[in-house]
Structure formats: structure tokens, C-alpha cells
Amino acid sequence: MTWLPFLIIIPLFGAFSMPIVSLIGGKAKEAWATIVSFATLIVGIDVFREVWNGGTIVYTLGAKNPFGKATFPIRIVWEVDKFGAIMVLIVTFVSFLAIIYSIEYMKHDTGLEKFYTLILILELGMLGIAITGDIFNFYVFLEIMSIASYALVAFRNDTWEGIEAGIKYMFVGSLASSFILLGITLLYGQYGTLTMGYLAVKMSENPTIVAKIALALFLGGLLFKSGASPVHMWLADAHPAAPSSISAMLSGLVIKIGGIYAMARVVFSIFSPAVNLTTVGWIIILFACITLIVGNAMAVVQEDMKRLLAYSSVGQIGYILLGLGIGMVAYGTKIGEVALAGAIYHTVNHAIMKALLFLVAGAVIHELGTRNLNELSGLAKTMPKTSFAFLVGAAAIVGMPPLNGFASKWLIYESSALFNPIIGAIAIIGTAFCTAAYVRVLFTFFGRPSEKVMNAKDPGIAMLLPMFILVLAIVVMGFFPWQISDKFMVPAARALWDVMGYIASLMGGG
Amino acid sequence: MKRALGFLSLLVIFAGLMLALTPKYGIKFGFGGDDWLKYRYTDNYYIQHGVEEVGGNNIVTDIVFDYRGYDTLGEATVLFTAIAGAIALLRPWRREKNEG
């Protein structure tokens, strides 16, 4: 008996019942969203524990095993390996905190029952992507996640930037999704199955040009979804325009699940037996290097606080892609393992710290009504708790040693320097820009108080609590960097590499 | 310049897709005989066992509501999300305090 189905059932039930629950009125919708996301968090923790103790879970929908009377899978399967379990845990955790934060942050907005419905669906879509073992099902949940995030970006429909960013995001996002659908179509036409593990089997028997074209389409779509550099422009508009709790989820989770996780899953679990991983890896490294430099450099020149954080997200995605790319080129070596473990570790860390930073930005906007950095001077005087949380988040994202960002960045630096010193140097340059950007913000925060900030005060408990849970997570994870890396991230990286194990647990029937 | 590059890359993508759809190199069309079992084994299974396993005479509904019912649930969720999103975005604007 596994708890895995409840990971979908609970948020789905929560979202579909939200219009009815909100008829009660009062605070019922907030309470319901909190309860639902808390229950999802509990299930997420249990699924994580289950995968960690018992290995990969394979779950067939509608039957005991995916085969029926055949020798190939005919039903949709869920397959949660260690990497998937880490993503499930981080998605449920950050979503829960974002929902608690929204209770106070969104109280001046209207249409809140729609807001909580959409935020639960966003969580549902991300969980569906993390657990699925079926390529078309992956597309369906990618669409659920994307459509919910288009609507949430434009949620404040009375602001021009919300609508503008939403339209931009929707037009280009749908194009990227259709690339992915086209790739799936080609794969089905050539190989006749939609199950990821079995697709890997068929593809290794008969690698064709169709598979390569499909991979190119997948990579194009997924690099877009992760906000890699030539196609990061939607991110820099969408993340600032969204309500801050949504920015925290978009920046912390959506670009990781829909981009990084999906890319790792597609490349390693489907294509790695059939295509040359070195080529794919170098393509990803190329984009990673551009992303690193462009994202971090653009962060330095921003005047808008949330836009700065959005560009910084682009820059951090560059590190994760770099680790992923090196993990592909150096497949089967120690360097590749360290790089991939670093990429997974940084995915988790960045989700936590960027969620924290966006929640802080939201608190500042909520209190002051501006996000122009030039007007925020001296905020530390009047909003000490918020500024402290920002200080911790900024130090972590730059990679200061006592905090969690250090270990994950160190793994990526170490592996990239060993892999190729030029790439290591590019990674260091990216960090230099990143440091410059955050030091600039900190100087503003701790400067002389301007007139505008004199009347500000710290937000209430519902906004401070999620921020301080994230601060606590950053600090506690910072105490045990190498233990976390050895116990969780390296096994997850190995599980991702172990495509034979992935196929075997599928064909074993689970 | 950007536009020209865009058209150029569209051409490349189009050429790639055409290559993938050329029967000599890529996907074949109109499967029959051995090719049917080689490339469409899953479909063949649904056609042969659909009626006895699921009980419906319509294979398409057998697939979308039983074998792949989870995808249909997902599609229903997409529709629900789209409606929730549309009515969320088409709601009236927030009033200023002095107006309301």
C-alpha cells in the first residue's frame, strides 16, 4: 500500500471542491487551501520516505501491473525514483509555504476563490510531472501547470504589466508546449509506445533520425520552460508581474519541474541508451554558459527588486544546467556524478532561497507599494525582520559558506573546474555578477532611511512565518552540507544515471 | 536580422520535420502486415483485448476512459483550469477605496 495516489487525489479534490467551499464565505477558502496543501505536504514527505527506504515506486493506474496480457506496458504508470521523490518533497513544501503566505499577502485582492483554485492546480501539475512515467501524461501535466501559471501571472488584471506579461508568457509558452507535443507525436509514430521506460528500450533497439529530431524539439521546448538564456525574456516579465507568492512558486518550482527535471528525465531515462550523450551535454553546457553570464549580468543593472530576482533566477538556472550538462558529457565518471549531484542539490537549494527572496520582495511591496530599489533605502531600520530574512537569502544565493548555497555551488564549481577550466572560470564570473547584484541591494537596505520607508513596519505573522521557516531551512541545511550531499543528492544522481534500473523496475511490474 | 534568422531557423525545423516524415529515413505511413505489429503493437493490443478487458464496444472510449483514463482526468483538469483562469482574469477591476 503506497500513499502515492493521494499526491494527486488530494490537490485535485481540493481544487475541484474550492468553488463549493468558497460558498461558505469568510475565511473558508484560505483555510481549505491551507488544509489541502498541508495534507499534500504530509503525503509528499511520506512518498519521499517510502522511495528512500524502498527504492523506486512503480504504480500502474487501473491494474495491478502495466502489462495486461501483453509483454509491453499498455497502461499509464507512475515511476518515482529518488530524483522524483526529491522534487515531490520540495514542491509540496514550497507550495504549502506560498499558500500560507498568500492568506495575508492577497487579502486586498478580489477573486480569491479562483486564486486558490489555480494555486492548488499549479501544485497538482508540478506533482504530476514529478511522478509520471508516461510521456504523454507528462505533456498533459505540463499543460496543467503552464495554464495555471499563465492565469496566475496575469491574476492582477487591473495592472498593465500583469496582463502584458501574461500575454507574452502565454503566447510563447504555448509555442514551446507545442514543440514538446510534436516531439511526443514523432516518438509515438516511430516507436509505438508512450511509456518512458519502454520507449528507452525500443529506442535503443532501433535508434533513428526521428528520435534525434524529437530530442531536438524536446530540448527546445524544455529550455524555454526553464528560462535558459536566448529564451529567458518571458521569465523576466512574468516573475515580477505575478503576485509575490506566485513568483516564489514560479521561480522556485515551475522552471525547475517543467524545465530542469523534465530535461533530466527525458534525456537520461528515455534518450540516453540511444543518442550520444556527449553531444547533448555540450549543447546544454553551451546554453548554460550563456544563461549564467546573461542572467547574472542583467541582474546587476536592474532597478526593480523583483526583476532583479527574476534575472538572478535565470542566472541560477545556468548553474543547474551547467551541472546537468557536465553530468551528461562526463557520464559514468566521478566528475559527472559530482556535477549532477550538484545540479540536483542546487535545484533544491535555489527553490528554497529564491522562494524566500520573492516572499521578502512581496512583503516589501505589500508594506511600501513600490519595488523600485532607489526608493527602498534604509529599509533595515523599519523592517528589521524582513531585512534579516533578505540578508540570509542573499548570502545563501551568493554561496556564503555557513549557508546551504555554498555546498551546492561548490560541487558545481569543483566539477566544472575539473571538467574544463574555461567553464569553471565562466561559472566564477557569473557568481561575481550575482554577488555584485545582491550586495547592491543589501547596501540599499542598510543605507540611510529614506522618507518613504519611515512609516513601514514588518508584516504580520502569516507572512513572516513562511519566511522564517525558509530561513530556518537554509540555516539548518547549511549545517549539514556534505551529509545531505552524500546521503541524498549523490544517490539521486546515480538513480538518474541508472537507466537500466529505471527500465528494470518498470518491466518488473512494480 | 532577427526576423531573417527566425525564418531561417523555421526553415531548418521544417526541413528536419520533413526528413522525419520521409518513409525512407523516418516514420512510415499506412502500416500493413508485419509493420502493423512492429510499430503499432500497442494499438493492436487495444483492438484485440479492449472489448473483453473493458467491456465497451467503442475502442476509443475504452482507451480514453479506461486504459488511459488518467490522461482524460488531466484533460478535464486543463479545461477546469482554463475556465477558472478565464473567469479570474475577466473579473471586474479592484475599486479604489473612495469609490466603493
Side-chain angles (χ1 to χ4, degrees):
Chain A
M1 174 60 202
T2 164
W3 285 26
L4 185 58
F6 292 98
L7 210 53
I8 296 298
I9 294 171
I10 292 174
L12 197 63
F13 176 69
F16 276 56
S17 59
M18 184 64 74
I20 299 169
V21 170
S22 66
L23 292 179
I24 299 173
K27 290 270 172 201
K29 49 192 179 296
E30 285 91 346
W32 184 237
T34 314
I35 292 167
V36 167
S37 62
F38 183 69
T40 319
L41 174 64
I42 300 293
V43 176
I45 292 169
D46 192 76
V47 166
F48 181 78
R49 196 190 50 75
E50 211 172 308
V51 171
W52 227 264
N53 295 333
T56 306
I57 307 177
V58 178
Y59 184 92
T60 309
L61 288 121
K64 286 268 178 272
N65 66 54
F67 302 112
K69 296 187 187 70
T71 54
F72 44 82
I74 53 159
R75 287 178 182 276
I76 296 176
V77 292
W78 287 335
E79 190 159 4
V80 193
D81 67 355
K82 291 194 165 96
F83 187 24
I86 289 177
M87 297 315 277
V88 164
L89 186 65
I90 194 76
V91 166
T92 51
F93 177 63
V94 174
S95 305
F96 173 60
L97 295 181
I99 287 174
I100 297 184
Y101 182 90
S102 308
I103 297 173
E104 190 181 333
Y105 178 75
M106 295 298 289
K107 70 180 174 204
H108 300 303
D109 286 79
T110 56
L112 286 181
E113 67 275 14
K114 277 87 101 184
F115 177 80
Y116 286 107
T117 311
L118 288 168
I119 202 169
L120 285 174
I121 291 177
L122 186 63
E123 182 180 2
L124 168 82
M126 293 191 285
L127 290 172
I129 292 174
I131 66 177
T132 193
D134 187 280
I135 189 77
F136 183 73
N137 189 246
F138 156 73
Y139 173 75
V140 171
F141 277 84
L142 188 78
E143 273 305 87
I144 293 175
M145 180 189 88
S146 304
I147 291 176
S149 48
Y150 304 150
L152 284 168
V153 163
F155 188 77
R156 287 186 168 149
N157 59 352
D158 50 354
T159 57
W160 62 267
E161 52 165 15
I163 297 294
E164 188 200 356
I167 288 176
K168 199 173 193 177
Y169 184 20
M170 188 177 73
F171 272 93
V172 279
S174 319
L175 195 65
S177 300
S178 61
F179 271 28
I180 294 168
L181 184 61
L182 199 56
I184 294 170
T185 318
L186 289 180
L187 284 184
Y188 185 71
Q190 179 66 42
Y191 296 107
T193 181
L194 289 168
T195 311
M196 290 184 186
Y198 197 66
L199 205 51
V201 175
K202 296 299 278 186
M203 205 180 287
S204 61
E205 286 168 2
N206 177 24
T208 53
I209 187 112
V210 179
K212 290 192 178 113
I213 291 168
L215 177 62
L217 290 169
F218 270 119
L219 278 185
L222 295 175
L223 279 171
F224 173 87
K225 294 271 174 195
S226 62
S229 192
V231 281
H232 65 277
M233 67 298 162
W234 63 272
L235 195 154
D237 283 346
H239 291 203
S244 287
S245 44
I246 301 305
S247 317
M249 281 176 84
L250 286 179
S251 217
L253 305 172
V254 169
I255 56 177
K256 314 274 173 34
I257 288 278
I260 303 296
Y261 173 80
M263 212 181 306
R265 178 61 70 219
V266 162
V267 171
F268 283 112
S269 300
I270 301 178
F271 284 94
S272 73
V275 299
N276 186 352
L277 273 186
T278 313
T279 320
V280 184
W282 274 111
I283 292 170
I284 291 183
I285 290 174
L286 177 71
F287 281 111
C289 291
I290 301 172
T291 309
L292 261 174
I293 298 294
V294 171
N296 285 319
M298 291 291 284
V300 181
V301 298
Q302 299 303 320
E303 309 231 300
D304 176 332
M305 187 174 175
K306 282 181 86 176
R307 195 169 270 269
L308 186 147
L309 295 177
Y311 273 112
S312 157
S313 280
V314 175
Q316 302 297 319
I317 281 292
Y319 288 106
I320 300 172
L321 284 174
L322 188 63
L324 194 64
I326 296 175
M328 287 172 197
V329 177
Y331 186 83
T333 62
K334 188 74 192 158
I335 293 174
E337 186 180 284
V338 171
L340 197 54
I344 297 172
Y345 199 178
H346 203 57
T347 308
V348 173
N349 281 342
H350 182 242
I352 294 174
M353 44 210 192
K354 197 44 75 68
L356 171 64
L357 289 171
F358 268 116
L359 296 186
V360 168
V364 171
I365 295 163
H366 192 73
E367 296 303 319
L368 292 170
T370 179
R371 28 185 238 226
N372 189 329
L373 279 171
N374 298 332
E375 297 175 13
L376 295 177
S377 148
L379 207 60
K381 276 256 167 22
T382 47
M383 294 175 77
K385 293 180 187 129
T386 314
S387 304
F388 172 73
F390 189 86
L391 180 66
V392 173
I397 208 162
V398 170
M400 297 278 268
L403 301 167
N404 67 348
F406 170 69
S408 57
K409 277 197 168 179
W410 180 259
L411 292 175
I412 293 172
Y413 293 147
E414 188 192 359
S415 55
S416 58
L418 288 172
F419 176 70
N420 186 332
I422 298 170
I423 293 174
I426 292 175
I428 303 283
I429 294 171
T431 302
F433 281 132
C434 174
T435 313
Y438 282 101
V439 166
R440 215 183 114 229
V441 183
L442 284 176
F443 263 111
T444 320
F445 270 34
F446 290 92
R448 178 202 296 274
S450 72
E451 233 166 81
K452 184 140 191 161
V453 304
M454 289 314 273
N455 302 322
K457 57 181 196 315
D458 274 320
I461 185 76
M463 280 165 81
L464 279 179
L465 184 70
M467 282 167 12
F468 276 87
I469 292 175
L470 288 168
V471 167
L472 196 68
I474 286 177
V475 173
V476 170
M477 281 177 77
F479 285 144
F480 310 101
W482 309 116
Q483 287 87 336
I484 292 174
S485 162
D486 291 341
K487 236 177 127 45
F488 298 108
M489 305 308 165
V490 173
R494 284 196 189 131
L496 196 56
W497 267 358
D498 181 19
V499 61
M500 289 308 149
Y502 187 82
I503 295 167
S505 45
L506 167 76
M507 301 307 276
Chain B
M1 182 61 199
K2 246 181 168 174
R3 190 165 282 244
L5 274 179
F7 276 120
L8 209 64
S9 41
L10 268 184
L11 268 182
V12 171
I13 294 171
F14 186 71
L17 285 177
M18 285 302 109
L19 184 68
L21 297 176
T22 312
K24 198 175 161 198
Y25 305 103
I27 297 172
K28 297 179 183 57
F29 290 90
F31 291 118
D34 291 344
D35 274 354
W36 172 253
L37 283 181
K38 188 178 167 206
Y39 290 104
R40 292 290 171 268
Y41 47 94
T42 317
D43 305 7
N44 191 52
Y45 179 91
Y46 291 145
I47 292 167
Q48 284 191 338
H49 301 278
V51 174
E52 43 157 328
E53 277 191 3
V54 181
N57 283 323
N58 185 331
I59 299 298
V60 176
T61 44
D62 282 354
I63 293 172
V64 297
F65 287 103
D66 187 289
Y67 291 112
R68 302 191 64 87
Y70 181 52
D71 280 345
T72 311
L73 185 68
E75 295 299 347
T77 313
V78 169
L79 195 57
F80 179 74
T81 317
I83 294 167
I87 56 173
L89 297 190
L90 295 175
R91 72 188 192 278
W93 288 359
R94 263 184 296 191
R95 293 278 182 79
E96 294 297 325
K97 283 199 183 75
N98 50 11
E99 283 177 30

